[in-house]
Amino acid sequence: DDVFLRQGFWKFTNHGNLLKITVGGEYDGVKGLHVQGPAKRCDTAWNAKSGKIMLKGVGRRFRFGFFAKTSKAKLKLRANEGASWQSFIVWQDESGKTIGKSKRIMFSVVRGPLCEVSRTGDIPQGAVSFYMSFGFDYPNVDHGDAVVFSDFTFEELGDKKACGKEGVFV
């Protein structure tokens, strides 16, 4: 049971209600969070706010990942003005108060293969839960374009960053 793809888990904001956004939608054989372009070429932006997810408390670092597939030649997120369209993790304390957020989750996806995106970072002290803010304003999802996000994962990692022993690479 993929918590990230449960019906009702995401609350959508869709600039001008121009995009068709569905949970469990499909593009090119991949099911997931599906964003379909509008009937005409225009400015688009969207965001999906997830439901609350409780941390297990087994580590102070995290790994968040997903797969993405697009019909666009290249889907490369660039800086935009509206924080409401950006992707990041919002950390909460036991009372539900926001105590921080992750660095912005940036990624690029090219047409063709299913692309994997993965980010790691620190979980703030006192965080017991989080929610995702996931979306983008640029580039536009144009008429005839589609993008699907699947296989979301979130892992709590140990406190230490994984590093190899000192050595020489030849």
Side-chain angles (χ1 to χ4, degrees):
D1 183 19
D2 187 349
V3 67
F4 288 101
L5 292 180
R6 284 189 197 151
Q7 293 299 323
F9 182 71
W10 297 100
K11 302 289 186 236
F12 299 109
T13 305
N14 179 355
H15 174 67
N17 292 319
L18 299 167
L19 300 169
K20 181 180 177 189
I21 305 171
T22 55
V23 174
E26 186 175 332
Y27 166 68
D28 199 26
V30 178
K31 281 188 170 183
L33 181 59
H34 180 256
V35 181
Q36 181 72 43
K40 59 182 179 171
R41 191 177 178 105
C42 56
D43 184 34
T44 64
W46 69 279
N47 181 269
K49 180 181 172 185
S50 79
K52 181 179 183 177
I53 299 174
M54 300 303 293
L55 293 168
K56 295 177 182 173
V58 296
R60 298 311 325 154
R61 294 187 47 74
F62 73 91
R63 179 192 167 281
F64 170 71
F66 58 90
F67 286 89
K69 190 165 189 151
T70 184
S71 64
K72 293 181 78 65
K74 187 172 187 178
L75 178 65
K76 180 178 181 178
L77 276 61
R78 296 199 183 132
N80 58 7
E81 297 298 319
S84 61
W85 309 119
Q86 297 175 4
S87 297
F88 47 84
I89 298 171
V90 179
W91 306 105
Q92 299 173 315
D93 65 14
E94 60 187 29
S95 68
K97 180 182 171 194
T98 297
I99 60 171
K101 69 180 183 180
S102 70
K103 290 182 182 178
R104 187 167 169 209
I105 299 168
M106 300 289 291
F107 58 91
S108 293
V109 179
V110 295
R111 181 179 16 223
L114 193 59
C115 297
E116 183 176 13
V117 176
S118 177
R119 297 292 177 263
T120 60
D122 294 317
I123 298 171
Q125 196 65 33
V128 298
S129 65
F130 70 94
Y131 69 86
M132 291 292 309
S133 177
F134 192 74
F136 56 87
D137 181 20
Y138 185 87
N140 289 324
V141 180
D142 293 319
H143 171 68
D145 286 339
V147 60
V148 65
F149 302 95
S150 69
D151 299 309
F152 290 93
T153 60
F154 182 89
E155 299 173 85
E156 292 177 59
L157 307 173
D159 295 336
K160 305 273 186 211
K161 295 180 180 178
C163 296
K165 292 183 178 182
E166 196 173 310
V168 176
F169 177 76
V170 179

